[in-house]
Amino acid sequence: MACGIALSIIAELGTSPISSFPSVLSLISSFTVGTGTIAMNAGFMILQMLLLRKRYDPRQLVQLPAAVVMDGDGLAIAVSTTLNRKFEPKNGTPLVTARSPWIRALS
């Protein structure tokens, strides 16, 4: 999943709604998409704690390490984006354009 997110961002194909905030954050700040995803997941957990208050089970804190390492987000996106950057064109043009033959065939 992380590789797909990284490739769609690098190829300028767009992102899923849940990845759009970290993607935009990476464009306007020094955060990477992976770091932004980790921060967003941590924010969701804090919001969950505030909403549930006394009903919040501390065992749910296991979500954060899982989101950082294994969730297809966080570190996995950061690593995938770094590894896939070598496929990015040097002149700044996107990998896929409206003039690509296979895009014209689909339209």
Side-chain angles (χ1 to χ4, degrees), residues 54-55 78:
K54 291 181 180 180
R55 292 179 293 160

Side-chain angles (χ1 to χ4, degrees), residues 43-102:
F44 287 154
M45 288 180 58
I46 292 169
L47 182 62
Q48 183 181 14
M49 287 180 210
L50 293 173
L51 291 173
L52 294 176
R53 298 184 189 228
K54 291 181 180 180
R55 292 179 293 160
Y56 185 79
D57 185 3
R59 290 182 293 175
Q60 292 184 19
L61 290 172
V62 175
Q63 296 175 70
L64 189 58
V68 170
V69 178
M70 299 168 38
D71 191 21
D73 296 333
L75 291 177
I77 292 175
V79 169
S80 294
T81 304
T82 302
L83 292 175
N84 289 317
R85 283 285 176 202
K86 68 179 180 177
F87 298 113
E88 189 173 18
K90 300 296 183 219
N91 60 5
T93 59
L95 293 173
V96 178
T97 65
R99 290 182 273 190
S100 299
W102 66 276

Side-chain angles (χ1 to χ4, degrees), residues 1-10 14-26 31-41 65-86:
M1 185 168 139
C3 187
I5 293 169
L7 284 174
S8 69
I9 291 170
I10 292 171
T15 62
S16 65
I18 197 72
S19 297
S20 61
F21 177 74
S23 180
V24 170
L25 186 64
S26 75
F31 280 102
T32 65
V33 177
T35 306
T37 303
I38 292 169
M40 188 175 69
N41 285 335
V68 170
V69 178
M70 299 168 38
D71 191 21
D73 296 333
L75 291 177
I77 292 175
V79 169
S80 294
T81 304
T82 302
L83 292 175
N84 289 317
R85 283 285 176 202
K86 68 179 180 177

